[in-house]
Amino acid sequence: MPTLLLVFIAVVLASFGQIAMKHGMNLTGSLGPSPGVTILFGLLKAVFTPYVFLGLALYAISAMFWLMVLKQAQELSYVYPLIGSTYVIVLLLSWLFFKEHITLVRSVGVVLICLGVVFVARS
């Protein structure tokens, strides 16, 4: 499988993992401290909620694809900056799923990240 395709799959899976984890944490109650509940217990409880667990699973699968990227890529300095694409995808997915407001400053930042990714990909 071509390296750039592996990077793309890893980035997309990681991005959807972030969205799933955020959604799961939005649905999770307080992590503590409340009577009889510690923060550690709250985090463990959160990990096993369906959306957080799905997000972590997507992250784990993404990591497997990333390991394939690391095996195939000649230069880490070439492929690693491509992970910056997750910023773009997460920004768009956050807008789509959570109705988050995208400010001008964020938009400019994402454009700069995109330019950086393009420069690295073309090098």
Side-chain angles (χ1 to χ4, degrees):
M1 197 177 288
T3 303
L4 287 179
L5 179 59
L6 292 171
V7 170
F8 176 76
I9 293 169
V11 163
V12 169
L13 288 171
S15 298
F16 275 97
Q18 278 294 323
I19 297 303
M21 286 188 288
K22 174 63 176 161
H23 181 63
M25 293 308 291
N26 285 347
L27 297 175
T28 302
S30 173
L31 295 179
S34 61
V37 179
T38 65
I39 292 175
L40 179 59
F41 178 75
L43 286 172
L44 286 173
K45 177 183 158 197
V47 164
F48 292 104
T49 61
Y51 285 104
V52 174
F53 191 82
L54 172 64
L56 291 171
L58 290 172
Y59 249 51
I61 296 166
S62 171
M64 298 301 169
F65 278 94
W66 186 250
L67 289 174
M68 289 188 280
V69 168
L70 294 176
K71 179 69 177 162
Q72 286 186 10
Q74 296 297 317
E75 298 178 14
L76 180 60
S77 62
Y78 167 70
V79 293
Y80 192 76
L82 300 177
I83 291 176
S85 305
T86 57
Y87 291 110
V88 179
I89 296 170
V90 168
L91 179 93
L92 294 173
L93 292 175
S94 297
W95 170 76
L96 181 66
F97 289 110
F98 303 128
K99 308 298 184 226
E100 290 184 6
H101 181 69
I102 300 174
T103 64
L104 178 62
V105 172
R106 284 188 200 168
S107 298
V108 170
V110 166
V111 167
L112 292 173
I113 290 169
C114 289
L115 287 172
V117 169
V118 167
F119 285 135
V120 168
R122 294 187 55 107
S123 66

